[in-house]
């Protein structure tokens, strides 16, 4: 299990009310312990959700550059 810290970017994977998979992204707002639930501030939401740490994955932000060579 990954230990999360306040401010970490995370991917939250769960199942929606309709039974289909749902993937959301956000930031860790707080951690109750190493194995305890995590407060996640989801993108586009005003409040935080308390979720199991097992449903979270760390997200690493990297730069991507696209270079197109052409004469048009």
């Amino acid at each position: 299990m990954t230990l999360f810290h306040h401010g970490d970017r995370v991917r939250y994977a769960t199942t929606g009310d309709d039974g289909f998979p749902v993937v959301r992204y956000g930031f860790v707002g707080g951690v109750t312990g190493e194995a305890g639930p995590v407060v996640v501030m989801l993108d586009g939401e005003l409040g935080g959700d308390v979720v199991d740490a097992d449903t979270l994955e760390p997200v690493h932000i990297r730069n991507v550059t696209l270079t197109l060579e052409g004469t048009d």
Side-chain angles (χ1 to χ4, degrees):
M1 184 178 109
T2 303
L3 181 63
F4 295 102
H5 302 285
H6 181 74
D8 286 349
R9 184 82 172 145
V10 292
R11 175 184 184 267
Y12 171 48
T14 187
T15 304
D17 295 336
D18 55 5
F20 288 102
V22 176
V23 175
R24 307 280 309 274
Y25 292 88
F27 291 93
V28 173
V31 180
T32 60
E34 288 187 26
V38 177
V39 177
V40 178
M41 307 304 290
L42 296 171
D43 295 349
E45 299 289 327
L46 293 177
D49 285 351
V50 178
V51 301
D52 291 328
D54 295 339
T55 60
L56 298 176
E57 295 178 23
V59 174
H60 302 285
I61 301 172
R62 297 189 174 123
N63 291 338
V64 176
T65 303
L66 175 63
T67 305
L68 301 174
E69 295 183 24
T71 56
D72 51 336

